[in-house]
Amino acid sequence: KAGVTQTPRYLIKTRGQQVTLSCSPISGHRSVSWYQQTPGQGLQFLFEYFSETQRNKGNFPGRFSGRQFSNSRSEMNVSTLELGDSALYLCASSSQTSPQETQYFGPGTRLLVL
Amino acid sequence: AQSVTQLGSHVSVSEGALVLLRCNYSSSVPPYLFWYVQYPNQGLQLLLKYTSAATLVKGINGFEAEFKKSETSFHLTKPSAHMSDAAEYFCAVTPNSGYSTLTFGKGTMLLVSP
């Protein structure tokens, strides 16, 4: 099976712009989670989707949003970009939402905000 | 709220030496525990996980971890380090019920010298 794929891999934006990141989960996986990784804050949970519904959300401002499509592919959007949004954004998929299920991570999208 | 503490942001070992990476969790109820590894410019790869079956868990690449409830610990070990083990290692927890949200430690960078 193909792994989790994320596009694009690298992105450069300027402050005030918006950005959309895409994640394709492993075939058959219906749960997709997003995480932000920065040197200062480490890995932080953004949100989780299951069957097109947001099941859980982390402590991030409303500028961060996401959605999931019927084929389980997910997108996250960040509006009005700030310098602090520069980070590696990781997507993870799992077969269900049980906490013991392994989450499989994609390679990430590295976003640089100038 | 759950939390994870990884003692030591950097650990240096010689090739062939024992690897010990420490992880302590804070939770009123024993959670599910995971160790992930991240190589440069890549996503996270699961090494092993504890889901309340055996307390000694064996993972990939010769790593293992022991769940100790009395010490609220889940330390990662490998008897003999290899140069290819140099990477960043993350301990993570999910609650044992509800959502599958990973809470990560700050990570430990493992440096292996010849």
Short mmCIF file of all heavy atoms in Angstrom, two decimals, chain A residues 4-58:
data_model
loop_
_atom_site.label_atom_id
_atom_site.label_comp_id
_atom_site.label_asym_id
_atom_site.label_seq_id
_atom_site.Cartn_x
_atom_site.Cartn_y
_atom_site.Cartn_z
N VAL A 4 1.11 7.64 3.32
CA VAL A 4 0.44 8.93 3.37
C VAL A 4 1.22 9.91 2.49
O VAL A 4 2.45 10.00 2.61
CB VAL A 4 0.37 9.46 4.81
CG1 VAL A 4 -0.30 10.83 4.85
CG2 VAL A 4 -0.38 8.47 5.70
N THR A 5 0.53 10.60 1.63
CA THR A 5 1.21 11.58 0.78
C THR A 5 0.70 12.98 1.10
O THR A 5 -0.47 13.17 1.43
CB THR A 5 0.99 11.29 -0.70
OG1 THR A 5 -0.42 11.28 -0.99
CG2 THR A 5 1.57 9.93 -1.08
N GLN A 6 1.62 13.94 1.03
CA GLN A 6 1.29 15.33 1.30
C GLN A 6 1.83 16.20 0.18
O GLN A 6 2.95 15.99 -0.29
CB GLN A 6 1.88 15.79 2.64
CG GLN A 6 1.29 15.09 3.83
CD GLN A 6 1.76 15.70 5.15
OE1 GLN A 6 2.44 15.03 5.93
NE2 GLN A 6 1.40 16.95 5.39
N THR A 7 1.02 17.14 -0.22
CA THR A 7 1.45 18.08 -1.25
C THR A 7 1.05 19.49 -0.86
O THR A 7 0.01 19.69 -0.21
CB THR A 7 0.82 17.74 -2.62
OG1 THR A 7 -0.60 17.72 -2.49
CG2 THR A 7 1.34 16.42 -3.13
N PRO A 8 1.85 20.49 -1.22
CA PRO A 8 3.21 20.33 -1.73
C PRO A 8 4.17 19.96 -0.61
O PRO A 8 3.79 19.96 0.55
CB PRO A 8 3.51 21.72 -2.29
CG PRO A 8 2.74 22.64 -1.38
CD PRO A 8 1.47 21.91 -1.04
N ARG A 9 5.38 19.65 -0.92
CA ARG A 9 6.37 19.35 0.11
C ARG A 9 6.97 20.61 0.71
O ARG A 9 7.32 20.65 1.88
CB ARG A 9 7.48 18.48 -0.45
CG ARG A 9 7.07 17.06 -0.80
CD ARG A 9 6.71 16.25 0.45
NE ARG A 9 7.73 16.32 1.48
CZ ARG A 9 8.83 15.58 1.53
NH1 ARG A 9 9.06 14.69 0.57
NH2 ARG A 9 9.69 15.72 2.52
N TYR A 10 7.10 21.63 -0.10
CA TYR A 10 7.67 22.90 0.35
C TYR A 10 6.83 24.05 -0.19
O TYR A 10 6.31 23.98 -1.30
CB TYR A 10 9.12 23.04 -0.13
CG TYR A 10 10.02 21.92 0.32
CD1 TYR A 10 10.21 20.81 -0.48
CD2 TYR A 10 10.66 21.98 1.56
CE1 TYR A 10 11.03 19.77 -0.07
CE2 TYR A 10 11.47 20.93 1.98
CZ TYR A 10 11.65 19.84 1.16
OH TYR A 10 12.45 18.81 1.58
N LEU A 11 6.76 25.08 0.63
CA LEU A 11 5.92 26.22 0.27
C LEU A 11 6.50 27.48 0.90
O LEU A 11 6.87 27.48 2.07
CB LEU A 11 4.51 25.96 0.82
CG LEU A 11 3.28 26.54 0.15
CD1 LEU A 11 3.30 26.31 -1.36
CD2 LEU A 11 2.04 25.91 0.75
N ILE A 12 6.56 28.53 0.10
CA ILE A 12 6.97 29.83 0.62
C ILE A 12 5.85 30.81 0.38
O ILE A 12 5.37 30.95 -0.75
CB ILE A 12 8.26 30.32 -0.05
CG1 ILE A 12 9.41 29.33 0.21
CG2 ILE A 12 8.64 31.71 0.49
CD1 ILE A 12 10.71 29.69 -0.51
N LYS A 13 5.43 31.48 1.44
CA LYS A 13 4.36 32.47 1.36
C LYS A 13 4.80 33.73 2.08
O LYS A 13 5.78 33.72 2.83
CB LYS A 13 3.08 31.91 2.00
CG LYS A 13 2.44 30.75 1.25
CD LYS A 13 1.76 31.23 -0.01
CE LYS A 13 0.98 30.13 -0.68
NZ LYS A 13 0.31 30.61 -1.92
N THR A 14 4.04 34.79 1.88
CA THR A 14 4.30 36.04 2.61
C THR A 14 3.18 36.28 3.61
O THR A 14 2.07 35.75 3.46
CB THR A 14 4.44 37.22 1.65
OG1 THR A 14 3.26 37.32 0.86
CG2 THR A 14 5.65 37.05 0.75
N ARG A 15 3.50 37.08 4.59
CA ARG A 15 2.50 37.41 5.63
C ARG A 15 1.21 37.94 5.01
O ARG A 15 1.23 38.71 4.06
CB ARG A 15 3.07 38.46 6.57
CG ARG A 15 4.00 37.91 7.63
CD ARG A 15 4.51 39.02 8.53
NE ARG A 15 5.25 40.04 7.81
CZ ARG A 15 5.68 41.17 8.35
NH1 ARG A 15 5.44 41.43 9.63
NH2 ARG A 15 6.35 42.03 7.63
N GLY A 16 0.11 37.52 5.57
CA GLY A 16 -1.19 37.97 5.09
C GLY A 16 -1.82 37.07 4.04
O GLY A 16 -3.04 37.13 3.82
N GLN A 17 -0.99 36.27 3.39
CA GLN A 17 -1.55 35.36 2.39
C GLN A 17 -2.24 34.18 3.06
O GLN A 17 -2.19 34.01 4.27
CB GLN A 17 -0.43 34.84 1.46
CG GLN A 17 0.10 35.87 0.50
CD GLN A 17 1.09 35.25 -0.48
OE1 GLN A 17 2.04 34.55 -0.12
NE2 GLN A 17 0.86 35.53 -1.77
N GLN A 18 -2.88 33.37 2.25
CA GLN A 18 -3.45 32.14 2.78
C GLN A 18 -2.83 30.96 2.03
O GLN A 18 -2.25 31.11 0.96
CB GLN A 18 -4.97 32.12 2.64
CG GLN A 18 -5.49 31.85 1.25
CD GLN A 18 -6.97 31.51 1.25
OE1 GLN A 18 -7.72 31.81 2.18
NE2 GLN A 18 -7.42 30.88 0.19
N VAL A 19 -2.95 29.78 2.64
CA VAL A 19 -2.33 28.60 2.06
C VAL A 19 -3.22 27.39 2.29
O VAL A 19 -3.94 27.31 3.30
CB VAL A 19 -0.93 28.37 2.68
CG1 VAL A 19 -1.04 28.00 4.16
CG2 VAL A 19 -0.16 27.31 1.92
N THR A 20 -3.19 26.47 1.34
CA THR A 20 -3.94 25.22 1.46
C THR A 20 -2.98 24.05 1.29
O THR A 20 -2.22 24.00 0.31
CB THR A 20 -5.05 25.12 0.41
OG1 THR A 20 -5.98 26.20 0.60
CG2 THR A 20 -5.79 23.80 0.54
N LEU A 21 -2.99 23.15 2.24
CA LEU A 21 -2.15 21.97 2.20
C LEU A 21 -3.04 20.75 2.01
O LEU A 21 -4.15 20.69 2.52
CB LEU A 21 -1.36 21.82 3.50
CG LEU A 21 -0.63 23.06 4.02
CD1 LEU A 21 0.13 22.74 5.29
CD2 LEU A 21 0.30 23.62 2.96
N SER A 22 -2.50 19.75 1.31
CA SER A 22 -3.31 18.57 1.00
C SER A 22 -2.68 17.30 1.56
O SER A 22 -1.45 17.19 1.65
CB SER A 22 -3.45 18.44 -0.52
OG SER A 22 -4.23 17.32 -0.85
N CYS A 23 -3.53 16.38 1.93
CA CYS A 23 -3.08 15.10 2.50
C CYS A 23 -3.94 13.97 1.94
O CYS A 23 -5.17 14.02 2.01
CB CYS A 23 -3.20 15.15 4.02
SG CYS A 23 -2.94 13.56 4.84
N SER A 24 -3.27 12.95 1.40
CA SER A 24 -3.99 11.75 0.95
C SER A 24 -3.62 10.61 1.89
O SER A 24 -2.45 10.24 1.97
CB SER A 24 -3.61 11.41 -0.49
OG SER A 24 -4.10 12.38 -1.37
N PRO A 25 -4.60 10.06 2.60
CA PRO A 25 -4.28 9.01 3.57
C PRO A 25 -4.01 7.68 2.90
O PRO A 25 -4.21 7.51 1.70
CB PRO A 25 -5.55 8.94 4.41
CG PRO A 25 -6.64 9.34 3.47
CD PRO A 25 -6.02 10.38 2.57
N ILE A 26 -3.57 6.73 3.70
CA ILE A 26 -3.41 5.36 3.22
C ILE A 26 -4.78 4.84 2.80
O ILE A 26 -5.79 5.11 3.46
CB ILE A 26 -2.80 4.48 4.33
CG1 ILE A 26 -1.35 4.91 4.58
CG2 ILE A 26 -2.88 3.01 3.99
CD1 ILE A 26 -0.71 4.25 5.79
N SER A 27 -4.80 4.10 1.71
CA SER A 27 -6.05 3.57 1.20
C SER A 27 -6.80 2.79 2.28
O SER A 27 -6.23 1.91 2.95
CB SER A 27 -5.77 2.65 0.00
OG SER A 27 -6.96 2.09 -0.49
N GLY A 28 -8.07 3.12 2.46
CA GLY A 28 -8.88 2.45 3.46
C GLY A 28 -8.92 3.14 4.80
O GLY A 28 -9.78 2.84 5.64
N HIS A 29 -8.00 4.07 5.03
CA HIS A 29 -8.01 4.81 6.29
C HIS A 29 -9.02 5.95 6.21
O HIS A 29 -9.08 6.67 5.23
CB HIS A 29 -6.62 5.38 6.58
CG HIS A 29 -5.64 4.37 7.06
ND1 HIS A 29 -4.40 4.70 7.54
CD2 HIS A 29 -5.72 3.02 7.14
CE1 HIS A 29 -3.76 3.60 7.91
NE2 HIS A 29 -4.54 2.56 7.66
N ARG A 30 -9.81 6.07 7.28
CA ARG A 30 -10.84 7.10 7.29
C ARG A 30 -10.56 8.23 8.27
O ARG A 30 -11.26 9.22 8.29
CB ARG A 30 -12.18 6.44 7.63
CG ARG A 30 -12.62 5.41 6.59
CD ARG A 30 -13.75 4.54 7.09
NE ARG A 30 -14.96 5.32 7.36
CZ ARG A 30 -16.03 4.83 7.98
NH1 ARG A 30 -16.02 3.58 8.42
NH2 ARG A 30 -17.10 5.58 8.16
N SER A 31 -9.55 8.06 9.09
CA SER A 31 -9.21 9.10 10.07
C SER A 31 -7.95 9.83 9.61
O SER A 31 -6.94 9.19 9.27
CB SER A 31 -8.97 8.47 11.44
OG SER A 31 -8.48 9.44 12.35
N VAL A 32 -8.03 11.14 9.60
CA VAL A 32 -6.88 11.97 9.23
C VAL A 32 -6.68 13.03 10.31
O VAL A 32 -7.63 13.72 10.69
CB VAL A 32 -7.09 12.66 7.87
CG1 VAL A 32 -5.95 13.64 7.60
CG2 VAL A 32 -7.17 11.62 6.76
N SER A 33 -5.46 13.12 10.80
CA SER A 33 -5.11 14.13 11.80
C SER A 33 -4.01 15.02 11.24
O SER A 33 -3.20 14.58 10.43
CB SER A 33 -4.62 13.47 13.09
OG SER A 33 -5.62 12.67 13.67
N TRP A 34 -3.99 16.24 11.72
CA TRP A 34 -2.96 17.21 11.32
C TRP A 34 -2.20 17.67 12.55
O TRP A 34 -2.80 17.91 13.62
CB TRP A 34 -3.60 18.42 10.64
CG TRP A 34 -4.14 18.15 9.28
CD1 TRP A 34 -5.40 17.71 8.95
CD2 TRP A 34 -3.46 18.34 8.04
NE1 TRP A 34 -5.54 17.60 7.60
CE2 TRP A 34 -4.36 17.98 7.01
CE3 TRP A 34 -2.19 18.77 7.69
CZ2 TRP A 34 -4.03 18.05 5.65
CZ3 TRP A 34 -1.85 18.85 6.35
CH2 TRP A 34 -2.76 18.50 5.33
N TYR A 35 -0.88 17.83 12.39
CA TYR A 35 -0.02 18.30 13.46
C TYR A 35 0.90 19.38 12.91
O TYR A 35 1.31 19.34 11.76
CB TYR A 35 0.83 17.15 14.01
CG TYR A 35 0.04 16.06 14.70
CD1 TYR A 35 -0.54 15.03 13.96
CD2 TYR A 35 -0.14 16.07 16.08
CE1 TYR A 35 -1.28 14.03 14.59
CE2 TYR A 35 -0.87 15.08 16.72
CZ TYR A 35 -1.44 14.06 15.97
OH TYR A 35 -2.16 13.08 16.58
N GLN A 36 1.24 20.31 13.78
CA GLN A 36 2.21 21.35 13.45
C GLN A 36 3.50 21.07 14.23
O GLN A 36 3.44 20.80 15.43
CB GLN A 36 1.67 22.72 13.83
CG GLN A 36 2.61 23.87 13.49
CD GLN A 36 2.25 25.16 14.22
OE1 GLN A 36 2.30 25.23 15.43
NE2 GLN A 36 1.88 26.19 13.46
N GLN A 37 4.62 21.14 13.57
CA GLN A 37 5.91 20.92 14.23
C GLN A 37 6.79 22.15 14.07
O GLN A 37 7.11 22.56 12.95
CB GLN A 37 6.62 19.69 13.68
CG GLN A 37 7.91 19.36 14.43
CD GLN A 37 8.59 18.10 13.93
OE1 GLN A 37 8.38 17.67 12.79
NE2 GLN A 37 9.39 17.48 14.78
N THR A 38 7.18 22.75 15.18
CA THR A 38 8.09 23.89 15.19
C THR A 38 9.19 23.62 16.19
O THR A 38 9.00 22.87 17.16
CB THR A 38 7.37 25.20 15.58
OG1 THR A 38 6.81 25.05 16.90
CG2 THR A 38 6.27 25.54 14.61
N PRO A 39 10.35 24.26 16.02
CA PRO A 39 11.46 24.06 16.98
C PRO A 39 11.07 24.49 18.39
O PRO A 39 11.48 23.87 19.36
CB PRO A 39 12.57 24.93 16.40
CG PRO A 39 12.27 25.03 14.95
CD PRO A 39 10.78 25.07 14.86
N GLY A 40 10.28 25.53 18.50
CA GLY A 40 9.95 26.04 19.83
C GLY A 40 8.85 25.30 20.54
O GLY A 40 8.95 25.01 21.73
N GLN A 41 7.80 24.96 19.83
CA GLN A 41 6.63 24.34 20.44
C GLN A 41 6.57 22.83 20.24
O GLN A 41 5.73 22.15 20.84
CB GLN A 41 5.35 24.97 19.88
CG GLN A 41 5.22 26.45 20.17
CD GLN A 41 5.18 26.73 21.65
OE1 GLN A 41 4.51 26.05 22.42
NE2 GLN A 41 5.93 27.74 22.08
N GLY A 42 7.43 22.31 19.40
CA GLY A 42 7.41 20.87 19.15
C GLY A 42 6.23 20.46 18.30
O GLY A 42 5.76 21.23 17.46
N LEU A 43 5.74 19.27 18.54
CA LEU A 43 4.62 18.72 17.77
C LEU A 43 3.32 19.00 18.49
O LEU A 43 3.12 18.60 19.63
CB LEU A 43 4.78 17.21 17.61
CG LEU A 43 5.77 16.76 16.55
CD1 LEU A 43 6.37 15.42 16.90
CD2 LEU A 43 5.07 16.68 15.19
N GLN A 44 2.41 19.70 17.79
CA GLN A 44 1.14 20.06 18.39
C GLN A 44 -0.01 19.63 17.49
O GLN A 44 0.04 19.83 16.28
CB GLN A 44 1.07 21.57 18.64
CG GLN A 44 2.06 22.08 19.66
CD GLN A 44 1.89 23.56 19.91
OE1 GLN A 44 2.25 24.39 19.10
NE2 GLN A 44 1.29 23.89 21.05
N PHE A 45 -1.04 19.11 18.11
CA PHE A 45 -2.21 18.63 17.40
C PHE A 45 -3.06 19.80 16.91
O PHE A 45 -3.36 20.72 17.67
CB PHE A 45 -3.02 17.73 18.34
CG PHE A 45 -4.38 17.35 17.84
CD1 PHE A 45 -4.52 16.41 16.83
CD2 PHE A 45 -5.52 17.92 18.36
CE1 PHE A 45 -5.78 16.04 16.38
CE2 PHE A 45 -6.78 17.57 17.92
CZ PHE A 45 -6.90 16.62 16.92
N LEU A 46 -3.45 19.72 15.65
CA LEU A 46 -4.32 20.74 15.06
C LEU A 46 -5.78 20.29 15.05
O LEU A 46 -6.63 20.93 15.65
CB LEU A 46 -3.87 21.05 13.64
CG LEU A 46 -2.67 21.98 13.50
CD1 LEU A 46 -1.98 21.78 12.17
CD2 LEU A 46 -3.10 23.43 13.66
N PHE A 47 -6.07 19.24 14.32
CA PHE A 47 -7.43 18.70 14.27
C PHE A 47 -7.43 17.30 13.68
O PHE A 47 -6.45 16.87 13.08
CB PHE A 47 -8.43 19.58 13.49
CG PHE A 47 -7.83 20.45 12.44
CD1 PHE A 47 -7.24 19.92 11.30
CD2 PHE A 47 -7.85 21.84 12.58
CE1 PHE A 47 -6.69 20.73 10.33
CE2 PHE A 47 -7.30 22.66 11.60
CZ PHE A 47 -6.72 22.10 10.49
N GLU A 48 -8.57 16.63 13.90
CA GLU A 48 -8.75 15.28 13.37
C GLU A 48 -10.09 15.20 12.66
O GLU A 48 -11.10 15.73 13.13
CB GLU A 48 -8.73 14.23 14.49
CG GLU A 48 -8.93 12.81 13.98
CD GLU A 48 -9.48 11.85 15.01
OE1 GLU A 48 -9.84 12.29 16.12
OE2 GLU A 48 -9.57 10.66 14.70
N TYR A 49 -10.08 14.50 11.53
CA TYR A 49 -11.29 14.26 10.78
C TYR A 49 -11.53 12.77 10.62
O TYR A 49 -10.59 11.99 10.46
CB TYR A 49 -11.20 14.91 9.39
CG TYR A 49 -11.31 16.41 9.44
CD1 TYR A 49 -10.19 17.20 9.65
CD2 TYR A 49 -12.55 17.03 9.33
CE1 TYR A 49 -10.30 18.57 9.73
CE2 TYR A 49 -12.67 18.41 9.41
CZ TYR A 49 -11.54 19.17 9.62
OH TYR A 49 -11.64 20.53 9.70
N PHE A 50 -12.81 12.42 10.67
CA PHE A 50 -13.21 11.05 10.43
C PHE A 50 -14.51 11.08 9.66
O PHE A 50 -15.48 11.70 10.11
CB PHE A 50 -13.40 10.30 11.76
CG PHE A 50 -13.77 8.85 11.59
CD1 PHE A 50 -12.80 7.91 11.31
CD2 PHE A 50 -15.09 8.44 11.70
CE1 PHE A 50 -13.13 6.57 11.15
CE2 PHE A 50 -15.42 7.11 11.54
CZ PHE A 50 -14.45 6.17 11.27
N SER A 51 -14.52 10.42 8.52
CA SER A 51 -15.72 10.40 7.67
C SER A 51 -16.30 11.79 7.46
O SER A 51 -17.49 12.04 7.65
CB SER A 51 -16.79 9.48 8.27
OG SER A 51 -16.36 8.15 8.28
N GLU A 52 -15.43 12.69 7.07
CA GLU A 52 -15.78 14.07 6.68
C GLU A 52 -16.21 14.95 7.85
O GLU A 52 -16.65 16.09 7.63
CB GLU A 52 -16.87 14.08 5.61
CG GLU A 52 -16.49 13.30 4.35
CD GLU A 52 -17.60 13.29 3.32
OE1 GLU A 52 -17.91 14.38 2.79
OE2 GLU A 52 -18.16 12.20 3.05
N THR A 53 -16.11 14.46 9.08
CA THR A 53 -16.51 15.23 10.26
C THR A 53 -15.30 15.52 11.13
O THR A 53 -14.47 14.65 11.37
CB THR A 53 -17.54 14.44 11.09
OG1 THR A 53 -18.68 14.16 10.27
CG2 THR A 53 -17.97 15.23 12.31
N GLN A 54 -15.21 16.77 11.58
CA GLN A 54 -14.13 17.10 12.51
C GLN A 54 -14.49 16.53 13.87
O GLN A 54 -15.48 16.92 14.49
CB GLN A 54 -13.95 18.62 12.60
CG GLN A 54 -12.73 19.01 13.43
CD GLN A 54 -12.56 20.52 13.52
OE1 GLN A 54 -13.07 21.18 14.43
NE2 GLN A 54 -11.84 21.09 12.56
N ARG A 55 -13.64 15.64 14.37
CA ARG A 55 -13.93 14.96 15.63
C ARG A 55 -13.26 15.64 16.82
O ARG A 55 -13.74 15.54 17.94
CB ARG A 55 -13.45 13.51 15.55
CG ARG A 55 -14.20 12.66 14.54
CD ARG A 55 -15.64 12.45 14.98
NE ARG A 55 -15.70 11.75 16.25
CZ ARG A 55 -15.78 10.44 16.36
NH1 ARG A 55 -15.77 9.69 15.29
NH2 ARG A 55 -15.87 9.89 17.55
N ASN A 56 -12.16 16.30 16.56
CA ASN A 56 -11.42 16.89 17.66
C ASN A 56 -10.59 18.04 17.12
O ASN A 56 -10.17 18.03 15.95
CB ASN A 56 -10.52 15.83 18.30
CG ASN A 56 -10.06 16.23 19.68
OD1 ASN A 56 -10.54 17.19 20.27
ND2 ASN A 56 -9.11 15.48 20.21
N LYS A 57 -10.36 19.02 17.97
CA LYS A 57 -9.61 20.20 17.52
C LYS A 57 -8.64 20.61 18.61
O LYS A 57 -8.98 20.59 19.81
CB LYS A 57 -10.58 21.34 17.22
CG LYS A 57 -9.94 22.55 16.55
CD LYS A 57 -10.99 23.60 16.23
CE LYS A 57 -10.45 24.71 15.35
NZ LYS A 57 -9.28 25.40 15.93
N GLY A 58 -7.45 20.99 18.20
CA GLY A 58 -6.45 21.47 19.14
C GLY A 58 -6.63 22.94 19.43
O GLY A 58 -7.57 23.59 18.97
#
